[in-house]
Amino acid sequence: MIRVVAIGAILASMAAAQSPRRVTKLADGVFAIEHRDAQDGLVSGNTTVIIGDRQVFVVDAGFLPSDAREDIDQIRRWTNKPVSFLLNTHWHNDHNNGNRAYMDAFPAVTVIAHVETKRDMDLAGPSSGSRIAKPIPQIQAIIEKGTTSDGRALTDSEKTFVRDALSRRAQAVADLQTAKFQSATLTFDHDFTIDLGNREVEVKFLGRGNTPGDAVVYLPKERIVIAGDLIVHPIPYVYDGYPRDWAKTLDRLAMLDAATIVPGHGQVLRDKSYVYLVRDLLTSAVAQLDEALRKAGVPAMARGAEDVLASIDLSAFRQRFAGGDRARAAEFDAAAASLIKVAFREASSR
């Protein structure tokens, strides 16, 4: 799943927020790969590589097959051991579109996912690239006019960013046109452990959150948690999911003895403070929604979402998430508005 944003309005202002490819060594034989992840709607989830004495375990394959192939080349420089296991933390295709590249490189690889994740992956099918191609005319118009949608002239650096965004998106479309879909080959619904050879990998399902089947990977000896999109830094992806359950799932995640947390997107976290912050945001949205509906005295499904939006205020969290960054604050406001709608939809289905 690629988050769709209003490119004409915010593309240029997000130039400083794009992140380059970054590799972080978490422990001996454990590496996090943060892919090029732009805030223009073209995003790719983090990949984590866990190397044991016998085998390699990879968490999430990223969005673009070309990125997955680059990661595979990197893994082969680290070790000559095979990638025997590839886990998809959830069904969004920015975390599993690269699956086929691993299958091609390591034909014996087992692709693992929660039963709910495989079901949704199979329903979604392959990404054709049509969604990321859709904004291309909009980006081209920005380049031709030399202004943002509100009429402000682009700076030279912004023009460069927009041109790069257009090139990056066109390359991604071409990459995806030849991509083949690879679903999970092994599913689970209970926690289990894999021994890679002097390294244990625990695969856990702590509860629903961003999706029905969010998987978490835990390395107890190294005190590392790989959280998928249950945690996205610096602004959570709350554009879908189950906020009420999600908060409880984060409580369970925080109970794990971990000093390092790899989010689904963003830089590696070295403590649990951000986990608690996201949990508090979710809890506040749910509590305020419940109170608004209680005062109204009717079930959620009997009211329109607009009736409760005005009574839910998450602005107290803006500074804690965005600090003084205006672009990040705008992204938080969009995420908060989405969270309220998602929480309302969840309440309506109860």
Side-chain angles (χ1 to χ4, degrees):
M1 175 176 291
I2 303 171
R3 181 161 49 90
V4 178
V5 294
I7 290 187
I10 70 169
L11 181 59
S13 67
M14 284 297 185
Q18 63 176 333
S19 61
R21 187 179 190 274
R22 180 185 293 109
V23 177
T24 303
K25 182 177 180 180
L26 307 178
D28 288 342
V30 184
F31 303 90
I33 302 173
E34 182 184 348
H35 295 115
R36 304 168 187 88
D37 202 5
Q39 296 301 321
D40 59 4
L42 182 58
V43 299
S44 183
N46 292 338
T47 291
T48 303
V49 179
I50 306 165
I51 303 171
D53 287 348
R54 295 189 305 270
Q55 299 159 302
V56 179
F57 189 113
V58 173
V59 184
D60 282 336
F63 178 52
L64 295 178
S66 56
D67 285 343
R69 289 190 290 269
E70 183 178 11
D71 294 346
I72 291 167
D73 289 342
Q74 177 75 71
I75 292 168
R76 284 173 165 160
R77 291 195 294 272
W78 285 328
T79 181
N80 60 2
K81 299 175 181 68
V83 174
S84 298
F85 306 100
L86 169 63
L87 174 81
N88 295 144
T89 57
H90 60 292
W91 70 269
H92 295 163
N93 60 26
D94 58 315
H95 294 259
N96 58 55
N97 243 28
N99 282 0
R100 187 66 199 185
Y102 281 89
M103 185 68 76
D104 290 342
F106 305 98
V109 69
T110 298
V111 183
I112 306 170
H114 188 274
V115 289
E116 294 286 350
T117 292
K118 176 174 170 53
R119 185 189 66 178
D120 287 338
M121 283 172 60
D122 292 348
L123 287 172
S127 174
S128 66
S130 60
R131 181 177 293 184
I132 58 174
K134 189 175 181 179
I136 286 179
Q138 205 174 352
I139 303 174
Q140 290 174 326
I142 292 174
I143 295 173
E144 293 170 2
K145 294 179 181 178
T147 63
T148 62
S149 59
D150 59 4
R152 179 179 64 80
L154 297 174
T155 66
D156 289 342
S157 62
E158 289 171 339
K159 290 177 182 177
T160 298
F161 174 71
V162 177
R163 284 194 291 267
D164 288 347
L166 178 62
S167 175
R168 182 172 60 250
R169 194 167 288 267
Q171 291 172 6
V173 171
D175 196 357
L176 292 173
Q177 284 176 341
T178 59
K180 296 181 180 179
F181 175 66
Q182 176 60 57
S183 186
T185 59
L186 176 68
T187 61
F188 74 97
D189 58 4
H190 295 289
D191 298 358
F192 66 97
T193 300
I194 293 178
D195 185 350
L196 302 177
N198 199 32
R199 172 156 278 149
E200 288 191 348
V201 177
E202 297 184 8
V203 178
K204 296 179 174 293
F205 174 67
L206 301 177
R208 298 193 305 180
N210 178 53
T211 71
D214 296 290
V216 169
V217 173
Y218 178 47
L219 305 182
K221 182 180 177 181
E222 295 82 4
R223 301 178 65 213
I224 296 170
V225 170
I226 302 138
D229 281 5
L230 288 170
I231 294 293
V232 170
H233 185 270
I235 305 295
Y237 283 6
V238 284
Y239 302 94
D240 202 355
Y242 308 86
R244 191 176 303 272
D245 289 349
W246 196 338
K248 297 174 184 176
T249 300
L250 291 183
D251 275 332
R252 298 185 192 104
L253 187 149
M255 291 177 66
L256 297 174
D257 179 21
T260 299
I261 299 170
V262 181
H265 299 261
Q267 297 184 34
V268 173
L269 307 173
R270 297 299 183 176
D271 60 46
K272 299 176 183 176
S273 57
Y274 184 76
V275 175
Y276 292 123
L277 179 58
V278 176
R279 179 207 58 188
D280 290 348
L281 175 70
L282 296 167
T283 300
S284 179
V286 169
Q288 290 188 57
L289 175 64
D290 286 349
E291 179 62 14
L293 294 174
R294 186 192 66 79
K295 289 181 177 179
V298 293
M301 64 183 66
R303 302 180 63 86
E306 65 279 0
D307 294 333
V308 298
L309 290 180
S311 63
I312 300 175
D313 183 8
L314 298 174
S315 61
F317 289 91
R318 185 187 297 113
Q319 178 67 27
R320 297 170 67 186
F321 278 98
D325 188 316
R326 292 179 60 187
R328 191 170 292 173
E331 189 178 2
F332 170 81
D333 289 342
S338 175
L339 170 57
I340 294 168
K341 294 177 181 178
V342 171
F344 179 86
R345 186 165 65 243
E346 182 185 32
S348 300
S349 65
R350 281 160 42 204

